C-alpha cells in the first residue's frame, strides 16, 4: 500500500470536483483533456477514472499510477508487463489501453514527481462479494484462478519470485505473542516443502474480479510473482477464511473453491495447507501497516488539510489488529 504521506500528497492537489493536476498529467499521456480524469481511490496505487474514456476509446478507463520511488513500483511495473502478455493471449484479464505513444506502461512527469502509470478499460461484468457467492460460483472462482496459473506459466521470466515474509522484523516485536508466532512460523516455513510453484496473481480476491457469466476476469496484478500454489490460493480466499482461519467463516464456499481449483489445476490444496501461508500474509500486513503509518502523531491528531486522515489511520490499525489475530491463530495450528 502507498504510505499515508504519499496519499496525502496527492489528495492535497485534488479539488472539490475530484480533479487534480497530477491526474491531468497522467491522463494527458493517454490523450485525455485536462479535468477529464477524476480521483477514484488511493491504496496500493493511485487510481483515477476517465468516465468518458481516453484517446481511442469512449468507454470508462481507469488510470493507475505509483510514484517511481514507491516501494511497490517494481511490482507495479512487473505486474503491468505480465498483464500485457496475458491480455495479448486473450486470457481472462481486463484489457489494457495503450498510451498515445503506444506504450502500456508509461513513466510520466507530474507535479509530485515521476510516476509509473498504466490504463485499464472497465470490465463489463458483474461485481460479486462473499454474500453473493454460491458453492457453484465459488468453484468457478477456483477454476478461474487455476486458468490464470496456466495462462501465466509461459511468463515466469516476467515476474520476480515472491519475497519471503518479513518475519525477521517481528522476531523482536514488543508484543511477545507476535514475536513467538514469528519465530514458530519461521521454523514451519523453513521445514515444510513449498509444494507446486506457479506464476500467481497474488491478490485474486473478489474485489479484483468482474464476472462474465461463470468466468472471473481479473485486474490489479501488482502482487504477481512466482510462489507456491497454496500461497496464491491463500491470498485469494482470505475473505472465506475470516479472522480465525482454523475455523473458516464460510467452510462450504471454501471447499467449493478448493474443489474447483483442484479439478482445473490437478493440484490439491487442503484448508490446513493454507494456514502457514495465511499466517505469512498476515505477518506481511502487520509489517506493512507500520510502514504505511509514516506520519507523526501530531499530523494524525490535527489533520488541518486532511480531515480523512484519522479515519484512514484508524482503519489501518483495525486491519493490523485483525492480522495479528490471524497470525496467532494460524501459526498456533501449524507450529
Amino acid at each position: 500500500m502507498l504510505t499515508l504521506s504519499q496519499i496525502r500528497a496527492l489528495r492535497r492537489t485534488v479539488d472539490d470536483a475530484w480533479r487534480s493536476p497530477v491526474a491531468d498529467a497522467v491522463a494527458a499521456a493517454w490523450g485525455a483533456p485536462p479535468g477529464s480524469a477524476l480521483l477514484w481511490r488511493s491504496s496500493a496505487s493511485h487510481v483515477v477514472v476517465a468516465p468518458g474514456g481516453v484517446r481511442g476509446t469512449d468507454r470508462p478507463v481507469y488510470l493507475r499510477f505509483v510514484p517511481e520511488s514507491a516501494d511497490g513500483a517494481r511490482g507495479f511495473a512487473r505486474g503491468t508487463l505480465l498483464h500485457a502478455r496475458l491480455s495479448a493471449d486473450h486470457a481472462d484479464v481486463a484489457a489494457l489501453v495503450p498510451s498515445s505513444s503506444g506504450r502500456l506502461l508509461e513513466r510520466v512527469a507530474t507535479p509530485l514527481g515521476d510516476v509509473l502509470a498504466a490504463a485499464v478499460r472497465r470490465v463489463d461484468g458483474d461485481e460479486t462479494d462473499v454474500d453473493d457467492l454460491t458453492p457453484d460460483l465459488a468453484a468457478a472462482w477456483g477454476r478461474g484462478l487455476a486458468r490464470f496459473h496456466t495462462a501465466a506459466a509461459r511468463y515466469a521470466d516476467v515476474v520476480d519470485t515472491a519475497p519471503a515474509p518479513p518475519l525477521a522484523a517481528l522476531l523482536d516485536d514488543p508484543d511477545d505473542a507476535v514475536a513467538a508466532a514469528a519465530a514458530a512460523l519461521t521454523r514451519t516455513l523453513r521445514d515444510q516443502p513449498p509444494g507446486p510453484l506457479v506464476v500467481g496473481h497474488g491478490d485474486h480476491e473478489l474485489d479484483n474480479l468482474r464476472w462474465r457469466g461463470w468466468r472471473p476476469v481479473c485486474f490489479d496484478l501488482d502482487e504477481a510473482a512466482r510462489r507456491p500454489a497454496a500461497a496464491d490460493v491463500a491470498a485469494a480466499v482470505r475473505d472465506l477464511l475470516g479472522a480465525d482461519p482454523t475455523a473458516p467463516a464460510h467452510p462450504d464456499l471454501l471447499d467449493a473453491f478448493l474443489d474447483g481449483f483442484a479439478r482445473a489445476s490437478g493440484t490439491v490444496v487442503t484448508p490446513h495447507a493454507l494456514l502457514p501461508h495465511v499466517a505469512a500474509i498476515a505477518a506481511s500486513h502487520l509489517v506493512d501497516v507500520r510502514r504505511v503509518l509514516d506520519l507523526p502523531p501530531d499530523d494524525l491528531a490535527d489533520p488541518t488539510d486532511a480531515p480523512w486522515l484519522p479515519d484512514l489511520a484508524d482503519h489501518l490499525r483495525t486491519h493490523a489488529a485483525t492480522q495479528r489475530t490471524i497470525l496467532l491463530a494460524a501459526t498456533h495450528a501449524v507450529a
Side-chain angles (χ1 to χ4, degrees):
M1 182 174 175
L2 297 169
T3 65
L4 289 188
S5 61
Q6 290 167 335
I7 295 172
R8 184 179 65 174
L10 177 65
R11 286 291 297 269
R12 281 174 167 169
T13 73
V14 176
D15 67 16
D16 291 341
W18 299 103
R19 297 169 301 200
S20 163
V22 178
D24 286 347
V26 173
W30 274 263
S36 63
L38 310 176
L39 179 65
W40 183 258
R41 63 172 173 80
S42 294
S43 183
S45 62
H46 299 302
V47 183
V48 298
V49 59
V54 296
R55 182 175 178 268
T57 176
D58 58 0
R59 299 171 58 189
V61 168
Y62 294 91
L63 297 146
R64 305 176 64 244
F65 59 97
V66 297
E68 191 173 26
S69 59
D71 285 358
R74 181 178 174 87
F76 182 93
R78 292 282 186 171
T80 300
L81 180 55
L82 177 63
H83 194 154
R85 300 285 179 86
L86 294 174
S87 183
D89 286 347
H90 305 289
D92 291 330
V93 296
L96 292 176
V97 180
S99 69
S100 297
S101 60
R103 289 187 285 268
L104 296 176
L105 178 69
E106 281 281 5
R107 177 181 286 106
V108 181
T110 80
L112 293 180
D114 289 352
V115 302
L116 301 180
V120 61
R121 186 174 290 122
R122 186 183 70 184
V123 178
D124 291 329
D126 297 326
E127 295 185 45
T128 300
D129 60 26
V130 172
D131 292 336
D132 300 321
L133 277 183
T134 64
D136 286 344
L137 201 57
W141 178 17
R143 293 193 298 271
L145 181 58
R147 281 195 302 273
F148 180 92
H149 292 167
T150 299
R154 297 175 57 192
Y155 304 115
D157 61 320
V158 170
V159 296
D160 295 323
T161 298
L167 296 174
L170 298 176
L171 293 176
D172 296 320
D173 199 90
D175 184 331
D176 290 342
V178 168
L185 184 57
T186 299
R187 293 190 295 270
T188 297
L189 293 175
R190 180 193 63 208
D191 295 341
Q192 75 169 19
L197 299 178
V198 297
V199 176
H201 181 285
D203 199 13
H204 203 266
E205 292 188 303
L206 293 173
D207 284 351
N208 289 329
L209 307 176
R210 296 294 180 268
W211 290 80
R212 292 175 178 162
W214 291 94
R215 295 178 75 97
V217 177
C218 66
F219 40 87
D220 287 9
L221 274 63
D222 301 356
E223 302 297 323
R226 298 184 295 273
R227 55 170 54 88
D232 208 42
V233 171
V237 301
R238 284 171 288 171
D239 284 346
L240 302 184
L241 294 169
D244 182 0
T246 66
H250 303 279
D252 293 345
L253 298 177
L254 177 63
D255 287 346
F257 180 103
L258 296 177
D259 182 65
F261 178 79
R263 289 177 183 273
S265 67
T267 299
V268 175
V269 178
T270 66
H272 186 77
L274 298 175
L275 294 179
H277 300 293
V278 172
I281 293 168
S284 297
H285 283 200
L286 270 179
V287 173
D288 201 43
V289 166
R290 297 170 185 179
R291 177 187 62 83
V292 170
L293 291 170
D294 67 336
L295 293 175
D298 287 349
D299 283 27
L300 297 177
D302 183 25
T304 304
D305 65 339
W308 46 270
L309 261 178
D311 287 344
L312 179 54
D314 285 346
H315 172 77
L316 289 167
R317 294 187 191 101
T318 299
H319 176 69
T322 300
Q323 299 310 302
R324 177 188 183 277
T325 299
I326 292 171
L327 171 63
L328 299 186
T331 301
H332 179 74
V334 297

